[in-house]
Amino acid sequence: MTKTLFVTGATSGFGEAIARRFAEAGWRVVASGRRRERLQALAASLPPDRVLPLVLDVRDRDAVADAVAGLPGAYAEIDVLVNNAGLALGLGPAQRADLDEWEQMVDTNVKGLMSVTRMLLPGMVERGCGHVVNLGSVAASWPYPGGNCYGATKAFVQQFSRNLRSDLLGTGVRVTNIEPGMAETEFSLVRFKGDAEQAGSVYSGTRPLLAEDIAEAVHWVTTQPSHVNINVLEIMPTDQAWGPFAVHREGR
């Protein structure tokens, strides 16, 4: 039987690549996001009747509830949820951070992920199968200057994923947290508010991960045998690793 994927943040980057990967593999895809034109273009570029474009802002809990309740019959039973919608804003130190940007990250990366999960999870449990895939980040485990609130939101995703696994033990529903490292998408362009030069400098001289790499990882974890759960998958490009401890020395 044809399976159904629900992916958030499908208008660009990881979300778009994930929607394409699954649709091209024969899945039905509910592609949700805030930008209608991009969703329509995505659906038009894939096999007919394969993608359901769903305009949705995950920060609006009532809208999420209405969207899930209103899914048409063929798309109503979700086999895999990919919580991809998220963003990073700013790269300054915490003492100079914009509180509005912090709240936007919490509302999207944390509260939005919770809302979509809570609305779709009961159906999975009732059917005794399903898979929740959360897009976290290496920033959940490895702090860096300016990562403050963003890293904290991804640490929430990490711990929330672990606790979901505990809650869902024995239900047949799987949970995976995928934690990408440096990846070239619209991520940095959003972070630097459209400054393409500053965004591009993040990847200068490197070969970062691509959206398609993460889409392939999502497809792999969700197509394992039903008794196999990939708890967490941390992925970095070969041009990225961990640095030595940072030590501040007076007078230097």
Side-chain angles (χ1 to χ4, degrees), residues 17-135:
I18 290 164
R20 289 188 180 281
R21 177 67 179 87
F22 279 79
E24 289 168 354
W27 289 52
R28 285 185 295 261
V29 175
V30 180
S32 73
R34 293 182 297 153
R35 292 173 284 188
R36 183 183 303 275
E37 296 79 8
R38 289 201 177 191
L39 292 175
Q40 291 173 338
L42 173 65
S45 67
L46 290 166
D49 302 321
R50 189 66 67 194
V51 177
L52 175 68
L54 180 64
V55 178
L56 180 65
D57 186 339
V58 298
R59 296 174 298 177
D60 186 337
R61 188 169 72 180
D62 291 339
V64 171
D66 290 344
V68 171
L71 289 173
Y75 293 89
E77 294 189 355
I78 303 301
D79 297 287
V80 174
L81 162 63
V82 180
N83 282 309
N84 165 73
L87 76 167
L89 296 170
L91 201 55
Q95 66 270 25
R96 295 201 296 271
D98 184 328
L99 271 174
D100 289 337
E101 292 184 342
W102 275 11
E103 287 190 8
Q104 188 175 348
M105 285 186 278
V106 170
D107 287 346
T108 307
N109 302 0
V110 175
K111 294 166 69 176
L113 181 147
M114 287 193 302
S115 294
V116 180
T117 302
R118 178 60 182 82
M119 299 304 174
L120 287 173
L121 206 52
M124 293 183 179
V125 172
E126 183 179 351
R127 293 187 296 274
C129 62
H131 200 150
V132 178
V133 179
N134 294 323
L135 262 295

Side-chain angles (χ1 to χ4, degrees), residues 138 180-183 206-207 209 235-242:
V138 296
M182 184 170 58
T206 72
R207 186 180 180 185
L209 299 172
I235 310 169
M236 287 184 180
T238 54
D239 285 345
Q240 184 182 31
W242 307 274

Side-chain angles (χ1 to χ4, degrees), residues 179-231:
E179 300 185 331
M182 184 170 58
E184 188 168 10
T185 63
E186 285 189 1
F187 180 85
S188 288
L189 196 62
V190 171
R191 181 168 224 163
F192 297 117
K193 299 180 179 179
D195 187 330
E197 184 176 351
Q198 191 174 11
S201 69
V202 173
Y203 312 108
S204 178
T206 72
R207 186 180 180 185
L209 299 172
L210 301 177
E212 291 75 14
D213 299 323
I214 302 306
E216 193 61 39
V218 173
H219 187 264
W220 179 74
V221 301
T222 56
T223 53
Q224 295 304 298
S226 61
H227 69 286
V228 176
N229 192 99
I230 308 300
N231 296 330

